[in-house]
Amino acid sequence: MAVEKIGICGAGKMGSGIAVTAALAGYPVILEDISDDSLEKAMLHIRDQLDKMSVKGKVAKADADTAFNLISCTSRYEGYEDVDFVIEVVAENLDIKNSVFKKLDEICKGSVVLTSSTSTYSITSIAAATKRPESVCGMHFFLPPSKLIEITKGYYTSPASMAVCREVAERMGKLCVDVKKDSPGFIANRIYTPLFIEAFKAHEEGLASIEDIDKAMTTTYLPIGPFALADIIGLDVILSGLEYYEKEIGQQWKAPRSLKELVKAGRLGKKTGKGWYDYT
């Protein structure tokens, strides 16, 4: 199936970033969000992103303008009956995602491929909200932005849907890895999340400051420290993921007390101006 038009559900930082990437690859994009205010902010952010890329010489000014004009917005799924491919990027909450996929199942044509950018939840569970689980797969983009995409399958996902997902990702210039089993956290989060847990526990135990733990890890092994990365991802997102992993995989994924306290205090990371670090 040739993908000619893409729908993106969720106009936050990730959704608007994916819209830019898709439009630069030549895809017309319909960016959807329940909030008109979020859509307005997203379009301003998209324009700013493209202008900065043009100034830095990453894209020609004409190409940036063309990409911007390929992106339209809707708060009521207008035009979604014509899209060939959908990328869901709403809040990392299974109930919210299932609600979105139920709506997409009602609106979209039979040949559409529906994907979720979840970093946590089972694709099988998300696909269960539809009557077409064979057409649902995962397309996990990363934050901070990365060249990598994890392509994930649910129990019923067809090879054809996976192939379309890979084709779209590669046209966007992404490097794909296939997740062969529908397991919580997939590859990257499954392997990296225990590092979050140990870093948070080490700080709780008084082993070192958050600054020194980040410094130790960035000087030796990582491009960004675990506390700084956690603040970018969102501490509420990490806590929700850990609670899901604990339920699905076991007690070793239990969230550290300090993480729960920060979330309870509303210190969710960069998006609130305070997390492990203060940004205000």
Side-chain angles (χ1 to χ4, degrees):
M1 183 192 78
V3 172
E4 296 182 0
K5 185 181 293 185
I6 290 178
I8 297 175
C9 298
K13 182 180 289 187
M14 180 72 84
S16 60
I18 296 171
V20 168
T21 303
L24 285 171
Y27 289 114
V29 172
I30 304 178
L31 183 62
E32 184 278 333
D33 198 282
I34 59 173
S35 165
D36 288 328
D37 183 56
S38 293
L39 289 168
E40 184 177 346
K41 289 178 180 176
M43 291 306 292
L44 290 172
H45 179 63
I46 287 168
R47 180 74 265 181
D48 183 59
Q49 275 189 287
L50 288 166
D51 287 345
K52 286 179 178 176
M53 293 173 77
S54 176
V55 168
K56 292 178 180 178
K58 293 182 177 180
V59 298
K61 179 68 165 62
D63 291 338
D65 292 341
T66 297
F68 184 77
N69 291 328
L70 283 172
I71 302 171
S72 60
C73 294
T74 177
S75 58
R76 295 175 180 82
Y77 293 96
E78 290 99 338
Y80 266 62
E81 65 277 3
D82 294 325
V83 299
D84 306 299
F85 193 88
V86 178
I87 305 170
E88 168 272 308
V89 206
V90 301
E92 195 70 351
N93 176 290
L94 188 56
D95 290 338
I96 295 174
K97 291 180 183 296
N98 282 343
S99 176
V100 169
F101 273 80
K102 185 176 185 297
K103 186 70 173 178
L104 292 170
D105 191 41
E106 294 168 356
I107 295 171
C108 295
K109 60 189 178 183
S111 60
V112 74
V113 173
L114 304 175
T115 73
S116 173
S117 187
T118 181
S119 60
T120 305
Y121 297 110
S122 160
I123 300 302
T124 303
S125 296
I126 292 172
T130 77
K131 296 181 179 68
R132 53 178 104 186
E134 70 283 352
S135 300
V136 180
C137 53
M139 193 176 187
H140 176 213
F141 292 77
F142 287 83
L143 189 67
S146 165
K147 190 174 179 64
L148 183 72
I149 286 180
E150 290 180 330
I151 298 179
T152 60
K153 61 182 293 186
Y155 185 86
Y156 291 106
T157 306
S158 70
S161 295
M162 293 288 282
V164 172
C165 191
R166 175 178 282 275
E167 178 184 324
V168 170
E170 290 179 347
R171 180 166 159 182
M172 290 183 185
K174 299 295 185 178
L175 175 68
C176 302
V177 292
D178 290 331
V179 182
K180 299 184 180 299
K181 186 177 180 181
D182 189 19
S183 179
F186 313 122
I187 301 172
N189 280 14
R190 178 70 177 268
I191 294 170
Y192 196 97
T193 299
L195 192 149
F196 279 139
I197 295 173
E198 289 305 313
F200 301 164
K201 283 183 177 179
H203 176 58
E204 279 183 22
E205 294 167 6
L207 180 66
S209 67
I210 62 174
E211 292 85 359
D212 280 351
I213 292 172
D214 271 359
K215 188 185 298 182
M217 298 308 295
T218 55
T219 304
T220 53
Y221 302 113
L222 303 172
I224 184 171
F227 292 97
L229 179 57
D231 278 351
I232 291 171
I233 294 170
L235 304 191
D236 54 333
V237 174
I238 292 173
L239 177 58
S240 176
L242 284 172
E243 290 171 345
Y244 179 71
Y245 299 156
E246 182 184 0
K247 177 183 174 183
E248 294 291 320
I249 307 174
Q251 280 288 317
Q252 69 270 32
W253 297 87
K254 187 176 181 64
R257 174 180 49 80
S258 55
L259 176 64
K260 294 180 180 179
E261 290 175 349
L262 286 173
V263 172
K264 193 181 297 183
R267 297 180 66 102
L268 307 183
K270 278 197 164 185
K271 60 188 173 186
T272 58
K274 294 177 185 293
W276 289 108
Y277 293 98
D278 287 341
Y279 300 94
T280 54

